[in-house]
Amino acid sequence: MPRTALHGRTEDNEPPARRSDTTRAAILDAARERFAADGYERATIRAVARDASIDPSMVMRYYGNKEGLFAAAVTVDLALPDLTERPREEVGRVLVTHFLAMWEENEVLTALLRVGVTNQAGAERMQGIFRDQLLPVAQRVCPDPEQAPARAALVATQVLGLALTRYVLRFGPAVALHREEVVAWLAPTVQRYLTAPSP
């Protein structure tokens, strides 16, 4: 009995591991396109499965639920600025300004934060993004490279805390702050986390 076709191609002659990889790739490709087109809230497992030409149960089998699928499908490049080109006393302001622009212009990042607070796969994806992209920045500018992981984590507490209260939970006073005010409040703290002597 022929197996399900993926994008017009049957899997009859593929070994099980290869079929699994092909199915996962089709699901993730379809999910990226669907999340980009519909946004996180409106995208559905059923729509992704239809786009991938598979049964919705296969999506659930590999990724569990929409949150797990989203965490697996999305990639986020924080596009952090090269702080070695900036005066050391400006790194806090530069980073906070950059993160504000990212949160306000990148719905995927906000959706991933929303998923990450309730879903393990989302949390792990967010951890990986900040570990792989923010940690190298901290290593380049902090006075003691051995402290870079702790300092990067402290920076994350500020930018993620801001994002959670401003863009996900939408606390009124946090939403009402102008971007310049946010930078003025947060930049000195981020600056201290990155460049101040260890307490």
Side-chain angles (χ1 to χ4, degrees):
M1 181 176 176
R3 298 187 182 275
T4 303
L6 285 174
H7 300 297
R9 189 176 76 177
T10 62
E11 298 177 317
D12 275 325
N13 300 321
E14 293 185 83
R18 184 79 173 274
R19 283 198 302 271
S20 175
D21 289 345
T22 302
T23 302
R24 286 175 181 271
I27 292 170
L28 292 179
D29 286 345
R32 290 184 189 105
E33 292 179 12
R34 180 58 56 182
F35 284 126
D38 293 350
Y40 176 77
E41 297 299 334
R42 293 189 306 277
T44 65
I45 291 285
R46 188 172 297 279
V48 170
R50 183 176 62 246
D51 294 346
S53 302
I54 62 172
D55 190 271
S57 65
M58 294 296 290
V59 180
M60 304 292 282
R61 172 184 169 188
Y62 288 120
Y63 299 104
N65 52 30
K66 186 169 78 168
E67 291 86 353
L69 175 62
F70 181 76
V74 301
T75 54
V76 176
D77 181 1
L78 296 178
L80 293 172
D82 182 0
L83 296 182
T84 59
E85 301 296 317
R86 305 282 185 154
R88 194 164 182 268
E89 63 275 10
E90 293 183 8
V91 297
R93 181 187 57 78
V94 170
L95 273 182
V96 172
T97 301
H98 179 79
F99 272 109
L100 272 174
M102 285 291 296
W103 291 116
E104 295 190 0
E105 297 164 12
N106 189 334
E107 291 182 4
V108 171
L109 194 56
T110 303
L112 183 57
L113 177 61
R114 189 179 296 115
V115 169
V117 298
T118 59
N119 176 271
Q120 183 61 30
E124 290 172 358
R125 175 53 63 95
M126 188 66 87
Q127 290 165 11
I129 290 167
F130 274 75
R131 179 187 62 245
D132 297 341
Q133 299 183 47
L134 183 59
L135 180 56
V137 171
Q139 289 171 327
R140 286 194 292 270
V141 300
C142 76
D144 182 353
E146 290 187 5
Q147 295 177 341
R151 289 174 181 258
L154 289 168
V155 171
T157 67
Q158 296 300 303
V159 295
L160 291 176
L162 169 69
L164 185 64
T165 55
R166 185 175 170 93
Y167 305 115
V168 177
L169 301 177
R170 299 192 63 79
F171 286 9
V175 174
L177 287 170
H178 294 294
R179 289 173 68 165
E180 296 77 12
E181 292 179 288
V182 174
V183 172
W185 280 106
L186 258 64
T189 300
V190 170
Q191 179 76 37
R192 180 169 59 86
Y193 285 158
L194 287 174
T195 63
S198 178

